[in-house]
Each structure stands twice: as C-alpha cells, then as structure tokens.
C-alpha cells in the first residue's frame, strides 16, 4: 500500500509542476519533476520491499512540504495551501510507517 500511496502522490506533484510550468515557472517544472522522480523511485523500492524506499519518500516529502509552505507564505496562493496540507498529511503517513517499522524491528 505504501508504494501505491507514494506513486499517486508523485503523480500529483508532477501535475502541480506541469501546471506551474504552464504559468511560466520552469523552475517549478524542474523541481517538481525531480521530486516526482525521487518519489517514483522510492515507491518502486517500497514495492520491492526495500527499506531505503520509505526513508527516501519521507525525506523527499519533508523537503516538498517545506517548499510548498514557503511558497504559500510568499504568495498566499490557495493551490500552495492545498499542496502544503496534502504534503503534511502524506508526511505524517510516512512518519507513522517509519515508526511502525522501527517498532516492529525492536527486540
């Protein structure tokens, strides 16, 4: 399930990046595309039960959350507010998965 959540989230990030590039921000396309590729890679790793995939998704989502929060604080765009909230929810989900994994591997 983690892999599917990550892949869907990566497609949403890519869609937001494409929307930003249509509005003239090619930095948005580059950054969103890069994060989307990282999330696709981490989702693929999670699908094949690689532990590093979850941590890569957690780090990427944390960085995306910070970027969206800063963009919202700068421009007060409703889209950035929505993406900040969505990224926060996904970040909490990944943190929960990491805690569950660490708890399960504890002696």
């Amino acid at each position: 399930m983690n892999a599917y959540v990550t892949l869907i989230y990566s497609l949403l990030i890519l869609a937001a990046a494409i929307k930003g590039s249509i509005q003239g921000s090619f930095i948005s396309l580059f950054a969103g595309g890069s994060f989307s590729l990282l999330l696709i890679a981490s989702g693929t790793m999670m699908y094949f039960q690689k532990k590093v995939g979850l941590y890569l998704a957690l780090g990427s989502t944390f960085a995306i959350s910070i970027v969206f929060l800063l963009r919202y604080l700068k421009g007060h765009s409703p889209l950035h507010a929505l993406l900040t909230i969505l990224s926060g929810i996904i970040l909490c989900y990944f943190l929960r998965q990491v805690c569950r994994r660490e708890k399960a591997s504890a002696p």
Side-chain angles (χ1 to χ4, degrees):
M1 171 122 166
N2 291 342
Y4 298 117
V5 169
T6 307
L7 292 174
I8 291 169
Y9 180 58
S10 69
L11 293 176
L12 289 172
I13 296 299
L14 185 61
I18 291 170
K19 183 182 182 308
S21 71
I22 290 172
Q23 294 176 344
S25 174
F26 290 103
I27 293 174
S28 173
L29 180 63
F30 178 74
S34 299
F35 279 120
S36 182
L37 286 176
L38 278 173
L39 288 167
I40 288 171
S42 65
T44 304
M45 286 184 235
M46 282 190 258
Y47 182 76
F48 290 110
Q49 304 299 322
K50 302 292 182 185
K51 187 177 180 181
V52 71
L54 182 58
Y55 293 105
L56 180 61
L58 179 66
S60 300
T61 304
F62 179 75
I64 291 169
S65 298
I66 297 296
V67 168
F68 284 142
L69 178 63
L70 293 174
R71 293 295 298 157
Y72 171 70
L73 292 175
K74 182 179 177 187
H76 298 289
S77 167
L79 178 64
H80 289 120
L82 180 67
L83 291 172
T84 301
I85 292 168
L86 177 67
S87 294
I89 291 169
I90 297 293
L91 181 64
C92 289
Y93 175 77
F94 287 141
L95 281 171
R96 181 173 177 257
Q97 297 304 315
V98 167
C99 290
R100 289 173 102 189
R101 177 172 281 192
E102 294 299 322
K103 187 177 181 181
S105 67

